[in-house]
Amino acid sequence: MSVNTLAKPEVQRSNGLDKTHNKIDLSAFMKKVIARNPGQTEFHQAVREVAEKIIPYINEKPKYIKANILERLIEPDRVLSFRVSWQDDQGNVQVNRGYRVQFNGAIGPYKGGLRFDPTVTEGTLKFLGFEQIFKNSLTTLPMGGGKGGSDFNPKGKSDAEVMRFCQSFMTELYRHIGKDTDVPAGDIGVGAREVSYMFGQYRRLANEFTGVLTGKGLGFGGSFIRKEATGFGSVYFAKEMLAHTGQDLNGKKAVVSGSGNVAQHTVEKLLQLGAVVLTMSDRSGYLYDPEGIDEEKLAHVMELKNELRAPLNNYLKRYPNAEFVENARPWGVKCDAAFPSATQNELDGEDARQLVKNGCKLVCEGANMPTTPEGVEVFGQAKILFGPGKAANAGGVAISGLEMTQNSMRLQWDPEEVDQKLQSIMRSIHKTCLMYGQEDGWVDYVKGANIGGFVKVADAMLAYGVI
Ligand code: NDP
């Protein structure tokens, strides 16, 4: 038998795995992700951000490579898609599409919000569900990753229409969820009103009162601080990042985007910690108040958005010294800290360069993936403090996890106790980020959050064997 010693070793890259060296190759891996999930660009973006940080880590850990953990992790456990028919106020029959992505249940019941927005696609929810795996793992609580929603647009609908839609949506979803299976919550377009309609319908169909949804009203199973938790948690995370470099938020000028749940409570906590908040925004543009948005003005924003469901530019009717810039984002306003808290990809490379040029030293993502990859790169090169959403906005799901605990125990903790727990969870997430993301003189929080979130899930998957 002759051996051809000149033959090049065969390198098989079909799954991104270089079998000669037992290493994963990022570009081959991403090629496969894109081919298997055509058109799902936000999902590709979310996977790439994780893969860039995880691959160098697992290439040194043969146990993960051998078990093909990364490729298994990017494939959802299941994706449910269903028809949602409902009648509008004129008696017309409308049809929307509902989804639930049960992405990874290795460390607990699927947990993640529902988004009602006309832009929702399966790809959007896969991106959000994928992010949720790492975020939930970082909280230290036993929760798997999931996300769901619909292309239904609650804007401009009457309460009766929203109720009929929510009831129809839940009539299908209820057979796939449960307190120990999958526990949805709110997200864009799904607030207290929508959660209540859905919970009411679940309770009617299942004939049981269990913590199957979080974000419920305080009188029927909700937790104190749940509605504030994402915004408060984001500011607590910013506080930890600053404290690590010997600074605090007092007197810092802050620019916030969004004016929904996350943005409102981000502003509330920033004000409590002495920051000056200059902006908020909605889909129509951004509000710039050079005198600062104080508690009274924030209460007015809450009234406009939560009760009147009116555009943000109505603020000027009461506070004419402010400006409203139509169809624009607030990132050109000079600030020390930025809190993108509206939606994905709302802060691009150019915005990031502008922020850095204006002296911004901290960016803390209240929203999910609000910064584009180019923006993240700009912040990384400038070595400013950058808290990625999966760490910075994990406070919401953390308190959802604690709502589940309270429901199981059939009790309700007081607000101070929940807030203490929230602060302690955000501190622990920050510590995990330091553990995996510290580099000479700088913390790569993206790396820290991705690896920190990955390890627990990956080890559970290893323990289960091949499933
Ligand atoms: P809300 O629906 O309460 O508020 C969303 C805000 O963002 C609104 O002000 C909305 O404007 C604005 N917005 C939405 N889409 C766009 C867009 N395409 N362009 C510009 N502005 C837009 O949602 P939440 O505050 O709950 O969620 C905000 C972000 O935080 C999302 O990325 C969500 O996934 C993330 N998040 C939320 C959590 C939660 O607990 N709610 C937990 C973790 C993350 P308008 O008022 O005009 O509709």
Coordinates of all heavy atoms in Angstrom, one line a residue, residues 384-423:
I384 N -15.1 52.8 23.8 CA -16.0 53.4 24.8 C -16.8 52.3 25.5 O -16.7 51.1 25.0 CB -17.0 54.4 24.2 CG1 -18.0 53.7 23.2 CG2 -16.2 55.5 23.4 CD1 -19.1 54.6 22.9
L385 N -17.5 52.6 26.5 CA -18.3 51.5 27.2 C -19.5 51.2 26.4 O -20.3 52.1 26.1 CB -18.7 52.1 28.6 CG -17.6 52.4 29.6 CD1 -18.2 53.2 30.8 CD2 -16.8 51.2 30.0
F386 N -19.6 50.0 25.9 CA -20.7 49.6 25.1 C -21.4 48.3 25.7 O -20.8 47.2 25.7 CB -20.2 49.3 23.6 CG -21.3 48.8 22.8 CD1 -22.4 49.6 22.4 CD2 -21.4 47.4 22.3 CE1 -23.5 49.1 21.6 CE2 -22.4 47.0 21.6 CZ -23.4 47.8 21.2
G387 N -22.6 48.5 26.2 CA -23.4 47.4 26.8 C -24.3 46.9 25.8 O -25.3 47.5 25.5
P388 N -24.1 45.6 25.3 CA -25.0 45.1 24.3 C -26.3 44.7 24.9 O -26.4 44.3 26.1 CB -24.3 43.8 23.8 CG -23.4 43.4 24.9 CD -23.0 44.7 25.7
G389 N -27.4 44.7 24.1 CA -28.8 44.4 24.6 C -28.9 43.2 25.4 O -29.6 43.1 26.5
K390 N -28.2 42.1 25.0 CA -28.5 40.8 25.7 C -28.0 40.9 27.1 O -28.5 40.1 27.9 CB -27.9 39.6 24.9 CG -26.5 39.6 24.6 CD -26.1 38.3 24.0 CE -26.5 38.1 22.5 NZ -25.7 38.9 21.6
A391 N -27.1 41.8 27.4 CA -26.7 42.0 28.8 C -27.5 43.1 29.4 O -28.2 43.0 30.5 CB -25.2 42.3 28.9
A392 N -27.5 44.3 28.7 CA -28.0 45.5 29.3 C -29.6 45.5 29.5 O -30.1 46.1 30.4 CB -27.6 46.7 28.5
N393 N -30.3 44.8 28.6 CA -31.7 44.9 28.7 C -32.3 43.6 29.3 O -33.5 43.4 29.3 CB -32.4 45.3 27.4 CG -32.4 44.2 26.4 OD1 -32.5 43.0 26.6 ND2 -32.3 44.6 25.1
A394 N -31.5 42.8 30.0 CA -31.9 41.5 30.5 C -32.8 41.7 31.8 O -33.3 40.7 32.3 CB -30.7 40.6 30.8
G395 N -32.8 42.9 32.3 CA -33.6 43.1 33.6 C -35.1 42.8 33.4 O -35.7 42.3 34.3
G396 N -35.6 43.0 32.2 CA -37.0 42.7 32.0 C -37.3 41.3 32.1 O -38.2 40.9 32.8
V397 N -36.6 40.5 31.4 CA -36.9 39.0 31.4 C -36.5 38.5 32.8 O -37.1 37.5 33.3 CB -36.2 38.3 30.3 CG1 -34.7 38.1 30.5 CG2 -36.8 36.9 30.1
A398 N -35.5 39.1 33.5 CA -35.2 38.6 34.8 C -36.4 38.8 35.7 O -36.7 37.8 36.5 CB -34.0 39.4 35.3
I399 N -37.0 39.9 35.7 CA -38.2 40.1 36.6 C -39.4 39.3 36.1 O -40.2 38.8 36.9 CB -38.5 41.6 36.8 CG1 -37.3 42.3 37.4 CG2 -39.7 41.8 37.7 CD1 -36.7 41.7 38.6
S400 N -39.4 39.0 34.8 CA -40.4 38.1 34.3 C -40.2 36.7 35.0 O -41.1 36.0 35.4 CB -40.4 37.9 32.8 OG -41.1 38.9 32.2
G401 N -38.9 36.3 35.1 CA -38.6 35.0 35.7 C -39.0 35.1 37.2 O -39.5 34.1 37.7
L402 N -38.8 36.2 37.8 CA -39.2 36.3 39.2 C -40.8 36.4 39.3 O -41.3 36.0 40.4 CB -38.6 37.5 39.9 CG -37.0 37.5 39.9 CD1 -36.5 38.7 40.7 CD2 -36.5 36.2 40.5
E403 N -41.4 36.9 38.3 CA -42.9 36.8 38.3 C -43.4 35.4 38.3 O -44.3 35.0 39.0 CB -43.5 37.6 37.1 CG -45.0 37.7 37.1 CD -45.5 38.6 36.0 OE1 -44.9 39.6 35.7 OE2 -46.6 38.3 35.4
M404 N -42.7 34.6 37.5 CA -43.0 33.1 37.4 C -42.8 32.5 38.8 O -43.6 31.7 39.2 CB -42.1 32.4 36.4 CG -42.4 32.8 34.9 SD -41.1 32.4 33.8 CE -41.1 30.6 33.8
T405 N -41.7 32.8 39.4 CA -41.4 32.3 40.8 C -42.5 32.7 41.7 O -43.1 31.8 42.5 CB -40.1 32.9 41.3 OG1 -39.1 32.6 40.3 CG2 -39.7 32.2 42.6
Q406 N -42.9 33.9 41.7 CA -44.0 34.4 42.6 C -45.3 33.7 42.3 O -46.0 33.3 43.3 CB -44.1 35.9 42.5 CG -42.9 36.7 43.1 CD -43.0 38.2 42.7 OE1 -43.7 39.0 43.3 NE2 -42.3 38.6 41.6
N407 N -45.6 33.5 41.1 CA -46.8 32.8 40.7 C -46.8 31.4 41.2 O -47.8 30.8 41.7 CB -47.0 32.8 39.2 CG -47.3 34.2 38.6 OD1 -47.2 34.4 37.4 ND2 -47.7 35.1 39.4
S408 N -45.6 30.7 41.1 CA -45.6 29.3 41.6 C -45.7 29.2 43.1 O -46.3 28.3 43.6 CB -44.2 28.7 41.2 OG -44.0 28.7 39.8
M409 N -45.2 30.3 43.7 CA -45.3 30.3 45.2 C -46.6 30.9 45.7 O -46.9 30.9 46.9 CB -44.1 31.1 45.8 CG -42.8 30.5 45.5 SD -41.4 31.7 45.8 CE -41.3 31.6 47.6
R410 N -47.4 31.4 44.8 CA -48.6 32.1 45.1 C -48.5 33.2 46.1 O -49.2 33.2 47.1 CB -49.7 31.1 45.5 CG -50.0 30.0 44.4 CD -51.3 29.3 44.7 NE -51.4 28.1 43.8 CZ -51.8 28.2 42.6 NH1 -52.1 29.4 42.0 NH2 -51.9 27.1 41.8
L411 N -47.5 34.0 45.8 CA -47.3 35.2 46.7 C -46.8 36.4 45.8 O -46.5 36.2 44.7 CB -46.4 34.9 47.9 CG -45.0 34.3 47.6 CD1 -44.1 35.2 47.0 CD2 -44.4 33.8 48.9
Q412 N -46.7 37.5 46.5 CA -46.2 38.7 45.7 C -45.2 39.4 46.6 O -45.5 39.8 47.7 CB -47.4 39.6 45.4 CG -47.1 40.7 44.4 CD -48.3 41.5 44.1 OE1 -49.1 42.0 44.9 NE2 -48.5 41.7 42.8
W413 N -44.0 39.6 46.1 CA -43.0 40.3 46.9 C -43.2 41.8 46.8 O -43.8 42.3 45.8 CB -41.6 40.0 46.3 CG -41.1 38.6 46.5 CD1 -41.4 37.8 47.5 CD2 -40.4 37.8 45.5 NE1 -40.9 36.5 47.3 CE2 -40.2 36.5 46.1 CE3 -39.8 38.0 44.3 CZ2 -39.5 35.5 45.5 CZ3 -39.1 37.0 43.7 CH2 -39.0 35.7 44.3
D414 N -42.7 42.6 47.8 CA -43.0 44.0 47.7 C -42.0 44.7 46.7 O -40.9 44.1 46.4 CB -43.0 44.6 49.1 CG -41.7 44.5 49.8 OD1 -40.6 44.6 49.1 OD2 -41.6 44.3 51.0
P415 N -42.3 45.9 46.3 CA -41.5 46.5 45.2 C -40.0 46.6 45.6 O -39.1 46.4 44.8 CB -42.1 47.9 45.1 CG -43.4 47.9 45.7 CD -43.4 46.7 46.7
E416 N -39.7 46.9 46.9 CA -38.3 47.1 47.3 C -37.5 45.8 47.1 O -36.4 45.8 46.6 CB -38.2 47.6 48.8 CG -38.7 49.0 49.0 CD -40.2 49.1 48.9 OE1 -40.9 48.1 49.2 OE2 -40.7 50.2 48.6
E417 N -38.2 44.7 47.5 CA -37.5 43.4 47.4 C -37.2 43.1 45.9 O -36.1 42.6 45.6 CB -38.4 42.3 48.1 CG -37.7 41.0 48.2 CD -38.5 40.0 49.0 OE1 -39.6 40.3 49.6 OE2 -38.1 38.8 49.0
V418 N -38.2 43.3 45.1 CA -38.0 43.0 43.6 C -36.9 43.9 43.1 O -36.0 43.4 42.3 CB -39.3 43.1 42.8 CG1 -39.0 42.8 41.4 CG2 -40.4 42.3 43.4
D419 N -36.9 45.2 43.4 CA -35.9 46.1 42.9 C -34.5 45.7 43.4 O -33.5 45.8 42.6 CB -36.2 47.5 43.4 CG -35.4 48.5 42.6 OD1 -35.2 48.4 41.4 OD2 -34.9 49.5 43.2
Q420 N -34.4 45.2 44.6 CA -33.1 44.8 45.1 C -32.6 43.6 44.3 O -31.4 43.5 43.9 CB -33.2 44.3 46.6 CG -33.2 45.5 47.6 CD -32.0 46.4 47.4 OE1 -30.9 45.9 47.2 NE2 -32.2 47.7 47.5
K421 N -33.5 42.7 44.0 CA -33.2 41.5 43.2 C -32.7 41.9 41.8 O -31.8 41.3 41.3 CB -34.3 40.5 43.2 CG -34.6 39.8 44.5 CD -35.7 38.7 44.3 CE -36.3 38.1 45.6 NZ -35.5 37.9 46.7
L422 N -33.5 42.9 41.3 CA -33.1 43.3 39.9 C -31.7 43.9 39.9 O -30.8 43.6 39.1 CB -34.1 44.4 39.5 CG -33.8 45.1 38.1 CD1 -33.7 44.1 37.0 CD2 -34.8 46.2 37.9
Q423 N -31.4 44.7 40.9 CA -30.0 45.3 41.0 C -29.0 44.2 41.1 O -27.9 44.3 40.5 CB -29.9 46.3 42.2 CG -30.8 47.5 41.9 CD -30.6 48.6 43.0 OE1 -29.4 49.0 43.2 NE2 -31.6 49.1 43.6

